[in-house]
Amino acid sequence: MHNMRQRKPKNEQKTPGLHRALLAAAAALAAALLTVWAPFQRLEYSFADTLFLQPRPVDNRIKIIGIDEASLQEFGPFSGWTRQQAADLLNSFDPEHAPAVVAFDINYFGDLDPEGDSALVEAAARNGNVVMASYLDFSTKLEQLPDGRFRMNTLYVEQIERSYEALGAVTRQGFTNTVQDSDNYVRRSMLWAESDGSREHSFAWTIYESYLKSRGEQPIFPETDENGIYGFDYTAEPGMYELYSFADVVAGRCDVRVFQDSIVLVGAYASGMMDQYMAPVARSSVMNGVEVQANHVNALLDGRTFTELSIWICALMTAAVAGVYTWLACSGHFTVNLAGAVMLEIAVPLAARQLYRNGLYWRCLMAVTAVAVIFLARLAYGYLTERFRKHKVLQMFRTYMAPQVVDELSRSGKYQIELGGRSCQVAVLFVDIRGFTTLSEGLPPDQVVGILNRYLGKVTEAIFQNEGTLDKFIGDAVMAVYNAPVDVEDYAVKAVRTGIDIVRAVEGMNGDLERDYGRRIACGVGIHCGQAVVGNIGCDFRMDYTAIGDTVNVAERLESLAKSGQILISEQLYERVKDQYQAESVGELALKGREDKVTAYALKF
């Protein structure tokens, strides 16, 4: 059957339109629900970090003065410091080459040491460009909106911890609260928070605003959500910003002119000070809080901030991708499915990156995953469908082929059972019970069926043992084909051997038949070889594997002329088997429906 006219395998056939639409809708709905549910949020963040974050050169305007291990060794544990050390740092700057902004990522809450407190206030007032850190204590509060509705405010500012009053009067304040995502990484920040009708701004924003105003420029507010939250893009990994030791600056061991017109952030740089965070650019380590603030200020200066698309918009976009690809995947063409999957797996991340560059964060992992899952599901469906089809074909073949022939079909992979045929050389065998009509009239139907089943069982066994294909049962007659659907070595010899085995088997079963039913049977066999068309004949919903042509007609006519226990073979077949079997010519026989006579031989066995 490998030369038969081919149609698309079932696993590549196009799914009907309504079915495709339903599958696409189901895939879109599932993708949307998973996007809203967000069961893989941590993976989503990790995927976004890999996709969006790109190494960039740091902004040389930002410099860090770190309270490092060397500083703690020189001045003692930080818990024993007064505000004098901070005052000394501010006093160490050259007024002619002063920084544009000095920001302390350190909490100076409450009065501590009058002398040191006063020294810091004086130094900060003299510099006039100092930003101090504050901290917001949040709680949950039920609030009534202007329209009368109530809402639960989970970001209610219960208290603001600021620098002591004298210091606060000569400096600007900005809160240092971080926004940690579900995986504990810091990617977002609050720009502002409402407190008693006024807005408090973040530490990074206050630094950024102070710096631009010192240059006579206006700051640009980034887009935020309704809670003032936005995301910022990291620039540098830990240790990439210019770093100076607090002790070296205070002791005059470095040239303070390097800080001229710069943004100087002062903060903890010793691990024991417990001011470290997980940042997406530092997967294998942690980042000091002052470096997080430096990255934050850097992002504001470069305009690299973003807001997250509404979860419903993300769900809609993911649903569109899943639905469109499902519709495409149901087209049935593997190359189309693969090309569509590859294109979407490239296009979706590229689109997400473009949106990110424009300040919008799209949770695209679910869309990427949906395409991969749909592709694999379609692949698995096609594979399982093909396996089922092959199994079905083999089961069908087992009903009329020898097991070894079926095994050969399985090994060769020639499973096609579509309509059509091929022309090939075959041997065709017909066998029939002599006087079956008379036999059936003299016995009850159940006994006739019993005799017929025994007889057909012996015939089928003989056909299969000789690698033949059982074509069909025609009442008490049987047709078998050799050398189709797979090539069989010495098929002509095996066809003759089948005829002999059948006659002997029928003779051997007569003893049992006479004992059980009081009857004996005999059969006649006709065999011919030649060209025939073999394949599946019928229609899409009902077909039979068979052979048609003159070769089949000649074999059938020979069988009809054979006497009880006789095997008649054609001259063409005799020429093929005469070295192995003896036969006696019975002359030329006139066959019904055929003008030319056929020379036949009666097999001797």
Side-chain angles (χ1 to χ4, degrees), residues 135-264:
Y135 190 82
L136 307 180
D137 291 327
F138 291 102
S139 65
T140 301
K141 182 179 181 181
L142 183 65
E143 296 179 334
Q144 187 173 12
L145 300 175
D147 60 5
R149 292 183 296 113
F150 288 89
R151 71 161 185 172
M152 189 63 71
N153 184 2
T154 58
L155 293 175
Y156 174 72
V157 179
E158 188 171 25
Q159 180 182 353
I160 303 176
E161 298 183 69
R162 305 179 189 272
S163 300
Y164 57 97
E165 185 176 356
L167 181 61
V170 297
T171 60
R172 298 193 66 188
Q173 308 279 306
F175 60 83
T176 57
N177 300 67
T178 59
V179 177
Q180 292 178 296
D181 290 320
S182 58
D183 59 354
N184 296 321
Y185 281 78
V186 177
R187 301 179 183 85
R188 297 179 295 160
S189 176
M190 291 186 69
L191 177 64
W192 49 263
E194 297 283 354
S195 176
D196 295 331
S198 63
R199 282 190 172 183
E200 299 288 328
H201 287 91
S202 69
F203 185 63
W205 167 261
T206 305
I207 296 170
Y208 162 70
E209 183 184 38
S210 298
Y211 175 75
L212 289 185
K213 286 186 176 181
S214 72
R215 296 168 56 87
E217 300 176 17
Q218 289 297 317
I220 300 174
F221 280 90
E223 293 290 333
T224 69
D225 65 12
E226 65 276 8
N227 294 315
I229 295 176
Y230 66 104
F232 62 92
D233 196 7
Y234 280 79
T235 300
E237 298 177 4
M240 292 186 65
Y241 285 100
E242 285 186 49
L243 174 66
Y244 301 87
S245 171
F246 188 100
D248 288 344
V249 176
V250 172
R253 291 191 290 266
C254 73
D255 187 352
V256 294
R257 290 177 296 179
V258 298
F259 301 117
Q260 182 177 351
D261 297 328
S262 296
I263 298 172
V264 177

Side-chain angles (χ1 to χ4, degrees), residues 269-313:
Y269 223 82
S271 57
M273 296 182 70
M274 305 300 290
D275 185 28
Q276 295 174 323
Y277 297 90
M278 297 173 66
V281 292
R283 286 279 170 181
S284 58
S285 61
V286 291
M287 179 176 280
N288 292 301
V290 68
E291 290 178 306
V292 174
Q293 297 293 349
N295 273 279
H296 192 173
V297 173
N298 204 155
L300 289 170
L301 288 170
D302 294 342
R304 290 183 287 105
T305 62
F306 61 89
T307 54
E308 190 167 335
L309 286 173
S310 162
I311 191 64
W312 302 109
I313 294 178

